[in-house]
Amino acid sequence: MNTSVAFIGLGAMGYRMAAHLPKQFDTVYVWNRNFDKAKQHATEYKTQAVELQQAVQADIIFSCLPTSQDVEDLIQTLEIKSGAIWVDCTSGVPESARKLSQQLAEKNVKFLDAPVSGQTIGAENATLTFMVGGEKSAFDQAFATMQVMGKLIKHVGDSGAGFAVKAVNNMMMAVHLCAAAEGFTTLKAHGVNLNEALDCINASSGKSGVTEAVLPQRVFNRSFPLTFALPLLAKDTGIAVDLIREAKLSAPVIGLTQSLIQTANNLAEPNSDFSTAIKMYELWNKITLD
Amino acid sequence: MNTSVAFIGLGAMGYRMAAHLPKQFDTVYVWNRNFDKAKQHATEYKTQAVELQQAVQADIIFSCLPTSQDVEDLIQTLEIKSGAIWVDCTSGVPESARKLSQQLAEKNVKFLDAPVSGQTIGAENATLTFMVGGEKSAFDQAFATMQVMGKLIKHVGDSGAGFAVKAVNNMMMAVHLCAAAEGFTTLKAHGVNLNEALDCINASSGKSGVTEAVLPQRVFNRSFPLTFALPLLAKDTGIAVDLIREAKLSAPVIGLTQSLIQTANNLAEPNSDFSTAIKMYELWNKITLD
Amino acid sequence: MNTSVAFIGLGAMGYRMAAHLPKQFDTVYVWNRNFDKAKQHATEYKTQAVELQQAVQADIIFSCLPTSQDVEDLIQTLEIKSGAIWVDCTSGVPESARKLSQQLAEKNVKFLDAPVSGQTIGAENATLTFMVGGEKSAFDQAFATMQVMGKLIKHVGDSGAGFAVKAVNNMMMAVHLCAAAEGFTTLKAHGVNLNEALDCINASSGKSGVTEAVLPQRVFNRSFPLTFALPLLAKDTGIAVDLIREAKLSAPVIGLTQSLIQTANNLAEPNSDFSTAIKMYELWNKITLD
Amino acid sequence: MNTSVAFIGLGAMGYRMAAHLPKQFDTVYVWNRNFDKAKQHATEYKTQAVELQQAVQADIIFSCLPTSQDVEDLIQTLEIKSGAIWVDCTSGVPESARKLSQQLAEKNVKFLDAPVSGQTIGAENATLTFMVGGEKSAFDQAFATMQVMGKLIKHVGDSGAGFAVKAVNNMMMAVHLCAAAEGFTTLKAHGVNLNEALDCINASSGKSGVTEAVLPQRVFNRSFPLTFALPLLAKDTGIAVDLIREAKLSAPVIGLTQSLIQTANNLAEPNSDFSTAIKMYELWNKITLD
């Protein structure tokens, strides 16, 4: 297609995501703060490693950075092409999306908050889920580019709605993680065979993404591979509770879980996977989930 | 097969479960307090409606009653056949399982705590999950009878372990229910499209049995069909917290959730499905999840 | 004394506080949005009801408004006398204090966040506690004016520290309120005589400001007099949890209590005293604390 | 007076309590498992160190042991004088009180659950609070003996009510302890002067027994003297949540606090004072309350 596309931020997710774009689009710019990574990407996937200022002349500009603050800082410095659509895949802050959306609108640029789920394996296999907030017309225009990298591409509401869904998704996952830690600790304390119990629960009403994937693949085998850092989960749960505070809602289980994830993060070693939050419970109860 | 089987307690679950037994076993006794139901079952499925005292002369005796207390009360009155195995499918109390196990052992009867999951649809289709505690040899002997009614039949540990797994499964489901209520309330308050958000979350790490089944089939369509009563969920979460107390564990999220389910149950109308616990959150936040 | 003093905001607290100033100061300006109240105050206490612009020519300017936002809105419109000290007795937001402190510093005006405790009775008897944040030198200069209205006048830290102490005080009170509601509900459910139990607890380690004053004076006698509105307590607990979020702390009991106060406030009738939060528990447990 | 009195269990509390009895009563038996302590008491306070079987021939028999289980075990072995009143000052379990009350009634012995508060200093100065459950007539008969050792002697209800009040008192204190830990951690994180803040809060609505006594005397000075062991507080909070479970109440803040105290106890070094629960928060937040 003739649409030109750019991808800014070639981290563990971005690097893999951008790799799919040349399959459908002729002009694919990539940029990364550590520019060697951009050059490596260009070599490996036939993208073009360009200066940031050139990248933002693309029709559709993707970004995937650690936090909304990083995106804000970057955008302040740029002269983005009029008529472009900026698709931000960061797990960001809804309020920031609304602010950037307004700022960019003055320059005739549309902003979509479009966080993804599916982790690096989903990025690699182009099976990501995109949860997108912003103007429906901009969503429609950017749809084809997202579809190259994802499987389920959903417009979930106005500006900020995408970030809100991602934050709530991760917050719910955090609750499920605590429930699993507490539930299986209880079973172990009472002499139950954890693997058999897990099979039963995964065939029953108590299952979750955590019992289906996190417990068997990360916890019971004691691997805790670093694919989603605990500080990032702590950040996302914080975004969720800020949404609750803003709307003056009552959400006690989420509130408590955020405290616990914050505690686990305060106690954790650097570069810990989110799943190591379970180790906090293990310490508290002197029970290891293996 | 020559093994004789009995089924005591023909409620919504038991009636459907016992219906499969004649497919494999020649002698199937059924008994129910309201005996008309037993006679109807005999007519419908070619089982034999018999006096309770005759039922407990079977080789394998199933029970499926509301609570462990009901099972205890019943068993005190009976002369069970020596060598029989009693398979109790009630969602019961681990401590009661251990007590009955010891009492029956004196009469040369084995007791298995074998609660099931899968609801009435699973009972109808013989796709239930059996989570079984007790002696492994008794489990092996009873295996074939359970297999006629279920799909996944697991020995999870010593006496009481089956009840513990069921209580923890239901407890975890209750946590997931609260997480879903709080999470989707937050999204609705921020103007997010709930159906699209649910699709995203069900494709992401935040999914659970609740987001996959309860929200779309019971809540968003406002049907709240009574298939698993809220007081029974309250009972099961109580069993889980008692297990936590006994072992002096730290399980704050489960503890809080039990309080909330207790609150919802205190406030609910009679004959409310467990999913109506979400209405408590709707009341608190003046937001309806539809 | 020659120091001129102004008091802006003659609500239930401010009206009584300003009444003490003429005892020590010759020039006392008062202003209120509903100006009739200012004129009434002037008549009653020999203060001077003046235009707002004149009031802010005083040496020491007190304000006592519902929220920090009200104070910010007011201050934006004013030309305050250079060298003045603004003493804000609102139960406000620490971040707002720091912002106003910086803004006013540019105009050579010092800002002190100086919330008070002691309720209307303390305002009337000049026995209030002032917890003050901001520059120590400004605190020293304003000390004499605060001392006319209060008994304990403390400098607790830099700008914002006063508001932080007030928010945390009210948050702790909210926790104690929930503890008392839950504890006495438990005792009532078990047939204990609540008045005798209260006497025992007030002589023991479990006492609090709530058991000493709120339970006997507001709850057990079912009077729930409106002296501190529930929405204001909800606001203050929100300020406290925002402080916790900012500093990335783990504070689970405070977090949960904020959820519960938010719930009580969402459910309460308009113009409810903070003590009516206990009625939420009464509803949940079908037990009345009388 | 002619009434004969016995005191069983001369621990830190009992030793000091029994010391007052000879001031009013001629015959005072004492007994202790480690009998040397009884003999020392007899020498020091002119009591009579006697065999256990003789001690329980007294008109009024006090006991003060670590747990209700200890009292039950002891009582099973004894032939208590018909007509005697047994006054148990243990911090015990209400259900156990009711059981013992019934058992002893068959032997014409009355049982009062009469836990005390006031710690060792209150025992030494005879200023303890007695919160007493059981028959009013037995309470009246035993009143004079309790009055020798205490200042506030209250009949709070039927058998078990005394233990219930004590458990709830200690549970509320535990909530206040968590509130104080969380609140002051928040203040410290924001640079507030803790001593000045404590003065303000102790003059305000947020005060509690913990802010008035525990923070200044045990925490801020880092002394944490062992006067009430953390495992005993954990036991008492467990009794409180059992009361809540029995009555099917909703008490989320107490439930969460019990989890936290359980956690602190699981993590604590042996022989830790209850106030060291605050160290758990210090670890979690990397903030020391000094």
Side-chain angles (χ1 to χ4, degrees):
Chain A
M1 288 190 237
N2 282 331
T3 311
S4 58
V5 190
F7 207 109
I8 292 170
L10 302 171
M13 291 299 287
Y15 197 90
R16 288 166 173 87
M17 289 166 75
H20 300 291
L21 290 168
K23 297 174 190 169
Q24 296 278 347
F25 300 95
D26 299 332
T27 307
V28 178
Y29 302 133
V30 294
W31 183 85
N32 195 58
R33 190 173 300 270
N34 171 349
F35 198 66
D36 285 346
K37 227 169 175 181
K39 286 192 278 190
Q40 183 190 333
H41 196 277
T43 306
E44 199 170 348
Y45 299 113
K46 313 224 169 180
T47 52
Q48 302 176 46
V50 300
E51 291 299 304
L52 186 51
Q53 200 46 57
Q54 188 181 340
V56 297
Q57 303 315 312
D59 299 320
I60 312 280
I61 304 155
F62 283 88
S63 58
C64 194
L65 299 178
T67 69
S68 277
Q69 192 58 54
D70 297 311
V71 179
E72 289 187 28
D73 292 348
L74 190 82
I75 282 181
Q76 303 327 317
T77 68
L78 297 172
E79 287 296 324
I80 305 165
K81 175 185 161 185
S82 174
I85 298 174
W86 187 294
V87 186
D88 182 23
C89 300
T90 303
S91 289
V93 178
E95 203 182 337
S96 173
R98 286 189 292 273
K99 194 170 65 179
L100 284 173
S101 186
Q102 283 175 7
Q103 283 178 9
L104 292 182
E106 290 166 17
K107 302 178 179 177
N108 195 33
V109 174
K110 307 284 191 191
F111 181 89
L112 297 174
D113 48 302
V116 296
S117 73
Q119 302 201 324
T120 50
I121 183 79
E124 196 149 328
N125 297 337
T127 55
L128 294 173
T129 295
F130 282 76
M131 35 206 103
V132 189
E135 282 185 25
K136 181 64 165 55
S137 61
F139 171 80
D140 291 339
Q141 280 179 269
F143 189 83
T145 52
M146 293 187 279
Q147 208 171 26
V148 176
M149 301 180 284
K151 202 165 93 181
L152 187 74
I153 323 291
K154 287 281 185 181
H155 183 249
V156 295
D158 294 338
S159 186
F163 286 162
V165 173
K166 184 72 196 292
V168 166
N169 176 79
N170 285 11
M171 182 75 243
M172 287 172 63
M173 192 272 280
V175 176
H176 303 167
L177 187 67
C178 290
E182 298 182 10
F184 280 82
T185 295
T186 305
L187 292 177
K188 181 105 183 235
H190 287 273
V192 174
N193 181 316
L194 294 198
N195 286 305
E196 304 293 347
L198 185 63
D199 284 352
C200 291
I201 287 173
N202 278 336
S204 302
S205 58
K207 75 176 171 184
S208 69
V210 169
T211 61
E212 290 176 327
V214 178
L215 286 189
Q217 295 164 18
R218 293 168 189 254
V219 179
F220 287 0
N221 64 12
R222 313 307 291 168
S223 65
F224 302 102
L226 175 53
T227 65
F228 177 45
L230 183 52
L232 292 178
L233 179 60
K235 179 202 68 174
D236 292 344
T237 60
I239 295 172
V241 299
D242 287 342
L243 289 172
I244 288 162
R245 279 276 297 130
E246 275 171 43
K248 304 198 176 195
L249 303 173
S250 171
V253 172
I254 283 182
L256 174 57
T257 301
Q258 194 269 333
S259 283
L260 293 167
I261 295 297
Q262 186 67 63
T263 308
N265 189 38
N266 289 354
L267 295 174
E269 293 172 22
N271 298 316
S272 291
D273 187 61
F274 75 97
S275 57
T276 60
I278 282 186
K279 290 185 182 178
M280 178 179 72
Y281 281 102
E282 295 184 331
L283 182 72
W284 287 357
N285 291 303
K286 295 176 184 156
I287 282 176
T288 305
L289 295 183
D290 57 5
Chain B
M1 289 191 237
N2 282 332
T3 312
S4 58
V5 190
F7 207 108
I8 293 170
L10 302 171
M13 292 298 289
Y15 198 88
R16 288 167 173 85
M17 289 167 74
H20 301 290
L21 290 168
K23 297 174 190 168
Q24 296 279 347
F25 300 94
D26 300 332
T27 308
V28 178
Y29 301 134
V30 294
W31 183 85
N32 194 59
R33 190 172 301 268
N34 171 350
F35 198 66
D36 285 347
K37 226 169 176 182
K39 287 192 277 191
Q40 185 190 331
H41 196 277
T43 307
E44 199 168 349
Y45 299 113
K46 313 223 169 184
T47 51
Q48 302 175 48
V50 299
E51 291 301 303
L52 187 52
Q53 200 46 56
Q54 186 180 342
V56 299
Q57 304 316 311
D59 299 319
I60 313 280
I61 306 155
F62 284 87
S63 58
C64 194
L65 299 177
T67 69
S68 277
Q69 190 59 54
D70 297 310
V71 179
E72 289 188 28
D73 291 349
L74 190 84
I75 282 181
Q76 303 327 316
T77 67
L78 298 172
E79 288 296 324
I80 305 164
K81 173 185 162 185
S82 175
I85 297 174
W86 188 294
V87 185
D88 182 24
C89 301
T90 303
S91 289
V93 178
E95 202 182 336
S96 172
R98 286 188 292 273
K99 194 169 67 181
L100 284 172
S101 186
Q102 283 175 7
Q103 282 179 10
L104 294 182
E106 291 165 19
K107 301 177 177 175
N108 194 31
V109 174
K110 307 284 190 191
F111 181 89
L112 296 174
D113 47 304
V116 296
S117 72
Q119 303 201 323
T120 50
I121 182 80
E124 196 149 329
N125 297 337
T127 56
L128 294 173
T129 296
F130 283 76
M131 36 207 103
V132 188
E135 282 184 25
K136 181 64 166 55
S137 60
F139 170 81
D140 290 339
Q141 279 179 269
F143 188 84
T145 53
M146 293 187 279
Q147 207 172 26
V148 175
M149 301 180 283
K151 203 165 91 182
L152 187 73
I153 323 291
K154 287 281 182 181
H155 183 249
V156 295
D158 294 339
S159 186
F163 285 162
V165 173
K166 183 73 195 293
V168 165
N169 176 78
N170 285 10
M171 182 75 244
M172 287 172 62
M173 192 272 280
V175 176
H176 303 167
L177 188 67
C178 290
E182 298 182 9
F184 279 83
T185 295
T186 304
L187 292 176
K188 180 105 182 236
H190 287 274
V192 173
N193 181 316
L194 293 198
N195 286 306
E196 305 292 346
L198 184 63
D199 284 352
C200 291
I201 288 173
N202 278 335
S204 302
S205 58
K207 76 175 171 185
S208 70
V210 170
T211 62
E212 289 176 329
V214 179
L215 287 189
Q217 294 163 18
R218 293 169 189 253
V219 178
F220 287 0
N221 65 11
R222 313 306 292 168
S223 64
F224 301 101
L226 175 52
T227 64
F228 177 46
L230 184 52
L232 292 178
L233 179 59
K235 178 203 68 173
D236 292 343
T237 60
I239 294 172
V241 300
D242 287 343
L243 289 172
I244 288 162
R245 278 276 298 132
E246 274 171 44
K248 305 200 175 194
L249 302 174
S250 171
V253 172
I254 284 182
L256 175 57
T257 300
Q258 193 269 334
S259 282
L260 293 167
I261 295 297
Q262 186 66 63
T263 308
N265 190 39
N266 289 355
L267 296 173
E269 292 171 23
N271 297 317
S272 292
D273 187 60
F274 75 96
S275 57
T276 61
I278 281 186
K279 290 185 181 176
M280 177 178 73
Y281 281 103
E282 296 183 332
L283 182 73
W284 288 357
N285 292 302
K286 296 177 182 153
I287 282 175
T288 306
L289 294 183
D290 57 4
Chain C
M1 288 191 239
N2 284 331
T3 312
S4 58
V5 190
F7 207 108
I8 293 170
L10 301 171
M13 292 298 289
Y15 197 89
R16 288 168 173 85
M17 289 166 75
H20 300 291
L21 290 169
K23 297 174 190 168
Q24 297 279 348
F25 300 95
D26 300 331
T27 307
V28 178
Y29 301 134
V30 294
W31 183 85
N32 194 59
R33 190 173 301 269
N34 171 350
F35 197 67
D36 285 347
K37 227 169 176 181
K39 286 192 278 188
Q40 185 191 331
H41 197 276
T43 307
E44 199 169 347
Y45 299 112
K46 312 224 171 183
T47 52
Q48 302 176 46
V50 300
E51 291 300 303
L52 186 52
Q53 200 47 57
Q54 187 181 342
V56 298
Q57 303 316 312
D59 299 318
I60 313 279
I61 306 155
F62 283 88
S63 58
C64 193
L65 300 177
T67 69
S68 278
Q69 191 58 54
D70 297 310
V71 179
E72 289 187 29
D73 292 349
L74 189 84
I75 281 182
Q76 302 327 316
T77 67
L78 298 173
E79 287 297 323
I80 305 164
K81 174 184 163 186
S82 176
I85 297 175
W86 187 295
V87 186
D88 182 24
C89 300
T90 303
S91 289
V93 178
E95 202 182 336
S96 173
R98 286 189 292 273
K99 194 169 66 180
L100 284 172
S101 185
Q102 282 175 8
Q103 282 178 10
L104 292 183
E106 291 165 20
K107 302 176 179 179
N108 195 32
V109 175
K110 307 285 191 189
F111 181 89
L112 297 174
D113 48 303
V116 297
S117 72
Q119 302 200 325
T120 50
I121 181 79
E124 196 149 329
N125 298 336
T127 55
L128 294 174
T129 295
F130 283 75
M131 35 207 103
V132 189
E135 282 185 26
K136 181 65 165 56
S137 61
F139 170 82
D140 290 339
Q141 280 180 271
F143 189 84
T145 52
M146 294 187 279
Q147 207 171 26
V148 175
M149 302 180 282
K151 203 166 92 181
L152 187 73
I153 323 291
K154 286 282 183 179
H155 183 248
V156 295
D158 294 337
S159 186
F163 286 162
V165 173
K166 183 72 195 292
V168 165
N169 176 79
N170 285 10
M171 182 74 245
M172 287 172 62
M173 192 273 280
V175 176
H176 303 166
L177 188 66
C178 290
E182 299 181 9
F184 280 83
T185 295
T186 304
L187 292 177
K188 180 105 182 236
H190 287 273
V192 173
N193 180 316
L194 293 199
N195 286 306
E196 305 292 347
L198 184 63
D199 284 353
C200 291
I201 287 172
N202 278 336
S204 303
S205 59
K207 75 174 172 186
S208 69
V210 169
T211 61
E212 290 176 327
V214 179
L215 286 190
Q217 295 164 17
R218 294 167 189 254
V219 178
F220 287 1
N221 64 10
R222 314 307 290 168
S223 64
F224 301 101
L226 175 53
T227 64
F228 177 46
L230 183 52
L232 292 178
L233 179 60
K235 179 202 69 172
D236 292 344
T237 60
I239 294 172
V241 299
D242 288 343
L243 289 172
I244 288 162
R245 278 276 298 131
E246 274 170 44
K248 304 198 176 195
L249 302 173
S250 172
V253 172
I254 283 182
L256 175 57
T257 300
Q258 193 269 333
S259 282
L260 293 167
I261 296 296
Q262 185 67 63
T263 307
N265 190 38
N266 290 353
L267 295 173
E269 292 171 22
N271 297 318
S272 292
D273 187 60
F274 76 96
S275 57
T276 62
I278 281 186
K279 291 186 181 176
M280 177 178 74
Y281 281 102
E282 295 184 331
L283 182 72
W284 287 358
N285 290 303
K286 295 175 182 154
I287 282 175
T288 304
L289 295 183
D290 58 3
Chain D
M1 287 192 237
N2 283 331
T3 311
S4 58
V5 190
F7 207 108
I8 293 170
L10 302 171
M13 291 299 287
Y15 197 90
R16 288 167 173 86
M17 289 166 75
H20 300 290
L21 291 168
K23 298 173 190 169
Q24 296 277 348
F25 300 95
D26 299 332
T27 308
V28 178
Y29 301 133
V30 294
W31 182 85
N32 194 59
R33 191 172 300 269
N34 171 350
F35 198 66
D36 285 346
K37 226 168 176 182
K39 287 191 277 189
Q40 183 190 334
H41 196 277
T43 306
E44 199 169 350
Y45 300 113
K46 313 222 170 183
T47 52
Q48 303 175 46
V50 300
E51 290 300 303
L52 187 52
Q53 200 46 58
Q54 186 180 343
V56 298
Q57 304 315 312
D59 300 318
I60 313 279
I61 305 155
F62 285 88
S63 58
C64 193
L65 299 177
T67 69
S68 276
Q69 192 58 54
D70 296 311
V71 179
E72 289 188 28
D73 292 349
L74 189 83
I75 282 181
Q76 303 327 316
T77 67
L78 298 171
E79 287 298 324
I80 305 164
K81 172 184 162 186
S82 176
I85 298 174
W86 187 295
V87 186
D88 182 22
C89 300
T90 302
S91 289
V93 178
E95 204 182 336
S96 173
R98 286 188 292 273
K99 195 169 64 180
L100 285 172
S101 185
Q102 283 175 8
Q103 283 179 9
L104 293 183
E106 290 165 19
K107 301 177 179 177
N108 194 31
V109 174
K110 307 284 190 191
F111 181 89
L112 297 173
D113 47 304
V116 296
S117 72
Q119 303 200 323
T120 49
I121 182 79
E124 195 149 329
N125 297 337
T127 55
L128 294 173
T129 296
F130 282 77
M131 35 207 103
V132 188
E135 281 184 26
K136 181 64 164 56
S137 60
F139 170 82
D140 291 339
Q141 281 179 268
F143 188 83
T145 53
M146 293 187 279
Q147 208 171 24
V148 176
M149 301 180 283
K151 201 165 94 182
L152 186 74
I153 323 290
K154 287 282 182 180
H155 183 249
V156 295
D158 293 338
S159 186
F163 286 162
V165 173
K166 183 73 196 292
V168 165
N169 176 78
N170 285 9
M171 182 75 243
M172 287 172 63
M173 192 272 280
V175 176
H176 303 167
L177 187 67
C178 291
E182 298 183 8
F184 280 83
T185 295
T186 304
L187 293 177
K188 180 105 183 236
H190 286 274
V192 174
N193 181 315
L194 293 197
N195 286 306
E196 304 292 347
L198 184 63
D199 283 353
C200 291
I201 288 172
N202 278 336
S204 303
S205 59
K207 75 175 172 185
S208 69
V210 169
T211 62
E212 290 176 327
V214 179
L215 287 190
Q217 295 164 17
R218 293 167 189 254
V219 179
F220 287 180
N221 65 11
R222 313 307 292 168
S223 65
F224 302 102
L226 175 52
T227 63
F228 177 45
L230 183 52
L232 292 178
L233 179 59
K235 179 202 70 174
D236 291 343
T237 61
I239 294 171
V241 299
D242 288 343
L243 289 172
I244 288 163
R245 279 276 298 131
E246 273 172 43
K248 304 200 176 195
L249 303 173
S250 172
V253 172
I254 284 183
L256 175 57
T257 300
Q258 193 268 333
S259 283
L260 293 167
I261 295 297
Q262 186 66 63
T263 308
N265 190 37
N266 289 354
L267 295 173
E269 292 171 23
N271 298 316
S272 292
D273 187 61
F274 75 97
S275 57
T276 62
I278 281 186
K279 291 186 182 177
M280 177 179 74
Y281 281 102
E282 295 184 331
L283 181 72
W284 287 358
N285 291 302
K286 296 176 182 155
I287 282 175
T288 305
L289 295 183
D290 56 6

